Amino acid sequence: MGTGADINDEWIELYNPGNLPISIAGWVLRADDGSPNITFAAGTSIPPKGFFLLERTDNNTVIDATANLVYTGALNDSFEVLRLYSDTTLTRLVDTANSNGGSWPAGAGTPNFYSMERLIVNGIPAVDSNGSW
């Protein structure tokens, strides 16, 4: 949803719940409307129990962390589905956010600008549903 300072200050975090690094080289993070549409470069990985931070437009959104990738495009505030594929042909779906395509199940616009975070149960991220955020 951005921040109170700038609604364009959006960010996305990918999390690796596993005990080994995950290579995401060649993976695609794409919204159904085509924006954003990000293909991860060769050599890109997420460390075990680690995060990969994507910031929109610049590296000034999350002040206390350096972005792993700055992207362009924007997420709609509602009716948006975000999909992560492990291939550029978009045939191997790994995960989704807001898979029902309605309003985002958590987060809000002005005046609060809340963020969404997937619930983790017994070390495993919950399946994407309205109640898992």
Side-chain angles (χ1 to χ4, degrees):
M1 295 303 299
T3 66
D6 186 344
I7 60 168
N8 295 311
D9 282 346
E10 295 178 330
W11 70 96
I12 301 166
E13 285 181 325
L14 302 179
Y15 175 65
N16 173 4
N19 294 319
L20 297 172
I22 294 177
S23 171
I24 57 171
W27 288 30
V28 176
L29 181 65
R30 184 178 191 278
D32 281 0
D33 67 0
S35 180
N37 186 12
I38 301 159
T39 300
F40 296 97
T44 305
S45 65
I46 307 174
K49 310 286 186 215
F51 294 89
F52 187 93
L53 176 63
L54 299 95
E55 292 188 35
R56 180 179 172 207
T57 309
D58 59 44
N59 190 23
N60 299 320
T61 301
V62 181
I63 302 300
D64 58 348
T66 301
N68 298 99
L69 178 72
V70 174
Y71 71 95
T72 59
L75 293 172
N76 291 323
D77 291 342
S78 59
F79 309 111
E80 184 83 273
V81 179
L82 192 59
R83 300 177 195 275
L84 180 64
Y85 297 93
S86 64
D87 65 317
T88 57
T89 60
L90 309 181
T91 57
R92 295 188 309 230
L93 182 65
V94 174
D95 202 0
T96 60
N98 200 37
S99 61
N100 71 6
S103 296
W104 290 97
T110 57
N112 297 318
F113 298 97
Y114 296 125
S115 296
M116 289 175 47
E117 180 178 353
R118 177 89 52 95
L119 297 174
I120 297 177
V121 180
N122 298 323
I124 301 170
V127 174
D128 180 25
S129 70
N130 281 349
S132 64
W133 298 93

